Amino acid sequence: GDSVTQMEGPVTLSEEAFLTINCTYTATGYPSLFWYVQYPGEGLQLLLKATKADDKGSNKGFEATYRKETTSFHLEKGSVQVSDSAVYFCALPAPGYSSASKIIFGSGTRLSIRP
Amino acid sequence: DVKVTQSSRYLVKRTGEKVFLECVQDMDHENMFWYRQDPGLGLRLIYFSYDVKMKEKGDIPEGYSVSREKKERFSLILESASTNQTSMYLCASSLPDRGYGYTFGSGTRLTVV
């Protein structure tokens, strides 16, 4: 079935370092792909999305490119800040539910940024 | 600013109590969802609703029920709270569009003692 696999955490980086969080997916067809972020004690927020192959989603300095050749949607940021410390979830829509837009979430990657 | 509002951020209840978690959205979304989030287990879908008075079981519905009498409100009910229902509960809403994504509330951290 459809699924997402993302890299295990925690990931610890120094401020201003380059960030990559890997995400690969298995899907029927070419669904939209999402990255969500969860700051400590909060719910999840949609960070960015891409709706078709080769699309690049971007927001708050983060980017991810929908690559169908490698079935990947890796999250990147050129220079991380302490405020980026959070848990990041890769996700895609579940197949076959036309009346309810269920989403399949990855297990989450915890990111900690050292000052 | 559009939002999903969960009535409580923190809640402490006693074992055996009936617990109501309320969620309200102001975006006129058809779909609403309840998840629980536990360390090491990720997000697990409890129930969802795609229309008023319509509901479907998610992956872990046991011990829970839901109510959707109005489009904007989706309530999660713990019929008889138990300690293993101590968790973070997240409500979300969405349009019936697989490319839209969810809008989440801030979560309710429930502790059952």
Side-chain angles (χ1 to χ4, degrees), chain B residues 16-43:
Chain B
E17 277 193 76
K18 189 169 187 176
V19 180
F20 293 85
L21 302 183
E22 305 288 345
C23 176
V24 177
Q25 52 98 1
D26 64 2
M27 295 166 285
D28 202 35
H29 284 171
E30 283 82 358
N31 298 338
M32 296 188 75
F33 306 83
W34 275 106
Y35 285 85
R36 65 178 282 176
Q37 183 179 27
D38 301 286
L41 297 176
L43 282 85

Side-chain angles (χ1 to χ4, degrees), chain B residues 51-107:
Chain B
D51 201 351
V52 177
K53 298 192 186 294
M54 304 303 290
K55 59 186 179 185
E56 288 195 25
K57 294 179 181 179
D59 301 317
I60 52 161
E62 296 78 19
Y64 303 94
S65 63
V66 289
S67 172
R68 190 150 181 219
E69 296 296 319
K70 294 185 177 181
K71 189 175 185 179
E72 66 270 19
R73 185 180 297 271
F74 191 37
S75 303
L76 179 69
I77 303 157
L78 286 65
E79 298 290 344
S80 177
S82 64
T83 55
N84 63 13
Q85 292 178 310
T86 292
S87 186
M88 169 72 104
Y89 289 88
L90 296 168
C91 175
S93 72
S94 181
L95 293 172
D97 173 353
R98 296 176 75 231
Y100 185 80
Y102 290 171
T103 302
F104 280 89
S106 298

Side-chain angles (χ1 to χ4, degrees), chain A residues 17-81:
Chain A
F18 185 86
L19 168 70
T20 301
I21 299 178
N22 291 337
C23 171
T24 57
Y25 66 89
T26 302
T28 306
Y30 302 104
S32 297
L33 298 173
F34 309 101
W35 276 102
Y36 284 84
V37 58
Q38 185 178 30
Y39 298 104
E42 299 290 328
L44 281 71
Q45 303 173 24
L46 181 63
L47 179 60
L48 55 83
K49 69 176 182 181
T51 57
K52 60 183 188 296
D54 300 325
D55 261 4
K56 178 183 286 188
S58 61
N59 186 25
K60 299 182 180 182
F62 291 89
E63 293 183 340
T65 301
Y66 190 161
R67 300 203 184 279
K68 67 177 182 179
E69 307 84 9
T70 54
T71 62
S72 65
F73 192 54
H74 303 323
L75 183 68
E76 297 181 334
K77 187 175 186 183
S79 177
V80 292
Q81 306 300 313

